[in-house]
């Protein structure tokens, strides 16, 4: 038996938690809700570290509930299934992203945009009040297992590179979704502003969808990487006179203060700018209604992860075309160090925790 | 002969000008450029007063060139044509809106969006440097005639109510254009925020296009007017809990400070908010990139008048369906009083100057 059943059929779990906003990670034993008829129990193999984990665990985006076990980029193996489960059997691989449940009845849920559940019942993978399970706090992927409704787990083939699959479940869907929303296809013209982890994923998807892809970056450090990914132009200026191209879509992954309005000049008429990067709230830029009118016919929208059906689609697309993030494998003991490196900007790649290690 | 030819074949013109930003209107004699091979000379019958005339003439949107003859809602009769003119003959009715020329060669001009001329050569009807005619300042419709390229004049049938046609050339196209841009049709769900002159035009067009139309207004003063126009719901709150409908398109005509973000909650997923109202620059609201991400999948864009081809389309649609603004006819002597009423909010309808009067 790969898991232990506790009172009320709850499942024993071991993870790594922050006990307060200034704390370091510490081993933490807890329990997960029982495996319901539609649930699966996943033995977690890999958990990616997302920058939002840090903001949340440090209470930078509002007061977190402690102990806090972050992690919403989860890849693992199914080790038990409820009696009604049809999508998975024991031994299958599965992935869990940012959500573990939602009402399932509203229009948003019905069209599989569970992140926009109109009844406000989107349950996030960690630090979320699980109204479907007695309002208990959810614990994330920095742990050895998770119980989740099969609907909120995606199918992963057994030959997939699991440590690369984990980060796709947040970074992948975040960038894949706006490309689909803006109907990017063969011959579309796409620019990606900000060339960090999200930016690189956006570039890889857009190139594979057949778009002509340009990058806007602060400096030329990663120009060679970009060109190797199939980028046609690499700009360090977004001056409309210096940049002659005009784009169907610009995806902004920029996580620092910037002027979004200048990108509107670089869109074709009817072109769209998708915002996925989140600068710190206190320095986040805005676009004035006057700017919208003066730069008329350019549409701006935000994009927030993606629904479960689209997450499966993204995963299938990624595996089919070998699109993965650059990752660096660490042990649970190295989470604190990884957080430091991410905060100071020293991190080069996506950290993924090998949860089979202690 | 209904006009007088001066030196270099220039055309004598008489109008009403402000000589400085604080001045009152005064009769002003000047000349217009010669009638080129592709130009027509229009005897102006009616000129509408647009609120932007006031901002411009008073140098509130940047220092104006004086003498300043405003007016970009012009309806009149063709009294002379250049030798290559094919669209008009003497005796026809014609209209002129916000523009009188553009490069004609760039992509924007080629798709008849001359207001976005990529070579920066959009020549506005007044207070604009006419690079096609020796950089002379353009004079608008508060005058007895105008010379314009036939391409920038729209055809008006002889049985049209000319005093109502004039304001369509700015207020009409400003509201018609975003409805077309957002592909509004039978069964679409449209809301109009702000129920002044622009808002009423937007409502009339949207209803005629077959949309279900709602209005957001500050109070219930004009509720009966709105219902008589075919509006299905009239809201004085835009709280997302109070308003159950979700819209394909919200057109904001609001010219005062407001919170655009709350309207995003009232859009369907994939719905669009079109900004056409311009609050004073110093109090104009903005939308943060954080708001865009949190209210994901809702698109915002601005709309600025419309191109010449679409202006003709709008005029044909308006005449066919009897869609006109509410107007109040005044004499040139009453322009100053009209400006006062518009500034103090006392104006009830669109003022149109009868230019055949002194």
């Amino acid at each position: 038996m790969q898991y232990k059943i506790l009172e009320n059929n709850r499942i024993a779990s071991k993870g790594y938690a922050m006990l307060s906003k200034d704390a370091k990670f510490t081993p933490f034993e807890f329990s997960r809700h029982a495996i319901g008829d539609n649930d699966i129990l996943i033995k977690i193999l890999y958990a990616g570290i997302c920058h939002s984990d840090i903001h949340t665990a440090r209470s930078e985006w509002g007061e977190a509930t402690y102990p806090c076990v972050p992690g919403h980029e989860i890849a693992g193996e199914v080790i038990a299934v409820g009696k009604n489960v049809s999508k998975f059997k024991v031994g299958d691989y599965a992935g869990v992203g940012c959500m573990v449940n939602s009402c399932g009845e509203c229009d948003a849920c019905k069209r599989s945009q569970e992140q926009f559940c109109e009844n406000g019942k989107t349950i996030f993978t960690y630090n979320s009040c699980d109204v479907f399970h007695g309002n208990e706090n959810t614990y994330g992927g920095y742990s050895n297992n998770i119980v989740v409704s099969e609907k909120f787990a995606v199918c992963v083939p057994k030959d997939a590179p699991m440590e690369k699959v984990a980060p796709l479940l947040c970074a992948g869907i975040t960038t894949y979704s706006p490309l689909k929303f803006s109907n990017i296809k063969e011959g579309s013209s796409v620019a990606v502003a900000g060339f960090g982890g999200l930016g690189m994923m956006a570039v890889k998807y857009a190139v594979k969808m057949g778009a002509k892809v340009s990058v806007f970056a602060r400096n030329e450090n990663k120009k060679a990487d970009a060109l190797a990914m199939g980028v046609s132009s690499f700009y360090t200026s977004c001056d409309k006179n210096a940049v002659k191209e005009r784009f169907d879509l610009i995806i902004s992954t920029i996580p620092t203060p910037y002027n979004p309005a200048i990108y509107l000049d670089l869109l074709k008429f009817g072109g769209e700018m998708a915002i996925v990067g989140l600068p710190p709230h206190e320095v986040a830029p805005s676009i004035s209604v006057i700017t919208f009118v003066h730069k008329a016919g350019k549409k701006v929208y935000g994009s927030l992860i993606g629904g479960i059906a689209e997450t499966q689609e993204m995963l299938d697309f990624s595996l089919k075309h070998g699109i993965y993030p650059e990752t660096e494998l660490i042990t649970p003991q190295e989470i604190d160090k990884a957080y430091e490196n991410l905060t100071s900007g020293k991190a080069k790649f996506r950290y993924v925790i090998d949860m089979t290690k202690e």
Side-chain angles (χ1 to χ4, degrees), chain A:
Chain A
M1 194 85 153
Q2 295 191 65
Y3 58 99
K4 191 172 153 194
I5 301 177
L6 307 175
E7 200 177 1
N8 296 320
N9 290 320
R10 292 182 66 84
I11 306 297
S13 190
K14 276 192 339 192
Y16 296 86
M18 272 172 65
L19 301 180
S20 71
K21 66 182 179 152
D22 308 313
K24 295 206 173 295
F25 277 91
T26 180
F28 172 58
E29 298 201 0
F30 58 102
S31 67
R32 300 205 177 258
H33 66 72
I35 303 165
D37 293 344
N38 301 301
D39 294 341
I40 60 173
L41 170 63
I42 299 171
K43 175 187 170 190
I44 297 178
L45 301 174
Y46 299 100
I49 296 179
C50 175
H51 209 111
S52 63
D53 293 351
I54 304 181
H55 290 299
T56 304
R58 293 184 177 165
S59 287
E60 290 168 2
W61 284 353
E63 187 64 23
T65 301
Y66 298 96
C68 178
V69 179
H72 58 207
E73 301 180 343
I74 298 169
E77 184 182 348
V78 177
I79 56 173
V81 298
K83 68 174 184 183
N84 295 338
V85 167
S86 58
K87 231 167 89 177
F88 297 95
K89 59 182 191 308
V90 169
D92 284 349
Y93 278 174
V96 177
C98 299
M99 301 177 278
V100 290
N101 224 330
S102 74
C103 88
E105 292 162 4
C106 69
D107 287 347
C109 287
K110 280 183 186 159
R111 61 172 189 262
S112 195
Q113 292 184 312
E114 299 85 357
Q115 75 272 39
F116 303 128
C117 174
E118 291 161 17
N119 290 314
K121 291 189 178 170
T122 307
I123 312 300
F124 292 98
T125 304
Y126 66 88
N127 193 48
S128 189
C129 172
D130 186 351
V131 295
F132 300 101
H133 295 95
N135 292 330
E136 65 186 24
N137 184 37
T138 55
Y139 294 120
Y142 299 4
S143 58
N144 65 341
N145 63 27
I146 189 167
V147 182
V148 60
S149 160
E150 67 166 336
K151 234 172 89 180
F152 283 77
V154 293
C155 300
V156 186
K158 290 291 286 223
D159 59 352
M162 292 298 273
E163 76 282 5
K164 302 265 185 193
V165 163
L168 288 175
L169 298 163
C170 172
I173 185 63
T174 295
T175 48
Y176 181 87
S177 187
L179 289 162
K180 299 300 283 187
F181 188 61
S182 286
N183 196 26
I184 294 309
K185 49 184 190 293
E186 192 75 34
S188 298
S189 169
V190 173
V192 175
F195 194 55
L198 287 178
M200 286 188 190
M201 289 307 297
V203 164
K204 289 177 183 181
Y205 287 127
V207 166
K208 195 51 80 178
M209 289 172 186
K212 185 168 178 287
V213 182
S214 296
V215 162
F216 292 96
R218 277 182 294 186
N219 56 52
E220 298 213 326
N221 292 351
K222 297 183 196 163
K223 183 171 179 175
D225 298 317
L227 298 179
M229 288 177 193
V231 160
S232 64
S233 300
F234 189 95
Y235 298 106
T236 53
S237 158
C238 39
D239 180 87
K240 66 179 171 182
N241 298 310
V243 178
K244 297 296 180 199
E245 287 182 273
R246 295 298 179 261
F247 303 98
D248 296 306
L249 172 68
I250 297 177
I251 299 185
S252 171
T253 69
I254 303 173
T256 48
Y258 68 106
N259 180 6
I262 55 177
Y263 290 101
L264 297 187
D265 289 325
L266 305 180
L267 288 173
K268 292 182 188 170
F269 184 78
E272 303 187 330
M273 180 170 178
I275 313 278
V276 300
L278 280 178
H281 290 210
E282 64 281 9
V283 291
S286 294
I287 306 175
S288 153
V289 296
I290 307 272
T291 301
F292 276 114
V293 174
H294 287 176
K295 301 178 191 294
K298 318 292 180 80
K299 299 179 183 177
V300 177
Y301 70 91
S303 188
L304 183 68
I305 53 172
I308 299 299
E310 194 173 51
T311 302
Q312 183 71 60
E313 179 189 314
M314 171 281 306
L315 188 64
D316 297 344
F317 185 90
S318 305
L319 293 171
K320 180 178 170 191
H321 296 294
I323 297 176
Y324 303 111
E326 307 297 314
T327 53
E328 182 176 341
L329 212 54
I330 62 171
T331 68
Q333 302 307 324
E334 295 170 303
I335 301 174
D336 290 313
K337 181 68 185 163
Y339 272 35
E340 271 173 47
N341 288 348
L342 280 161
T343 307
S344 65
K346 261 192 265 173
K348 229 181 136 184
F349 301 119
R350 198 81 168 180
Y351 289 115
V352 176
I353 314 166
D354 182 343
M355 292 309 307
T356 63
K357 299 266 167 61
E358 294 274 314

